[in-house]
């Protein structure tokens, strides 16, 4: 059963890293705003979901 969840967790790790970097790059630290706020909301929701999934699966072990 652990082998079945491991590839999925790996995919969520990759998604979380990519979205985290993207959110960081799009944030303007001088004005404290995102370049594209609508996409930042979508990226944030998916980022939080992927981190939640990673944490939830790591607690099961």
């Amino acid at each position: 059963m652990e082998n079945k969840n491991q590839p999925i967790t790996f995919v969520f790790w990759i998604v979380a890293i990519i979205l985290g970097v993207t959110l960081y790059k799009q944030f303007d630290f001088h004005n404290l705003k995102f370049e594209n706020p609508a996409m930042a909301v979508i990226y944030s929701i998916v980022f939080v979901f992927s981190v939640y999934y990673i944490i939830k699966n790591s607690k099961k072990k």
Side-chain angles (χ1 to χ4, degrees):
M1 201 64 155
E2 289 180 32
N3 293 336
K4 185 177 179 183
N5 285 338
Q6 193 169 7
I8 295 172
T9 305
F10 179 72
V11 170
F12 277 105
W13 268 105
I14 298 299
V15 169
I17 291 170
I18 291 171
L19 290 178
V21 169
T22 303
L23 283 170
Y24 180 76
K25 285 183 178 180
Q26 284 192 357
F27 190 72
D28 182 15
F29 288 100
H30 295 290
N31 296 330
L32 298 178
K33 292 183 180 181
F34 284 101
E35 292 176 13
N36 193 351
M39 288 301 290
V41 170
I42 294 170
Y43 291 158
S44 299
I45 291 170
V46 176
F47 177 75
V48 168
F49 175 74
S50 62
V51 170
Y52 170 76
Y53 185 83
I54 292 168
I55 292 172
K56 186 178 90 167
N57 278 347
S58 69
K59 287 185 179 181
K60 285 184 179 181
K61 292 183 179 179

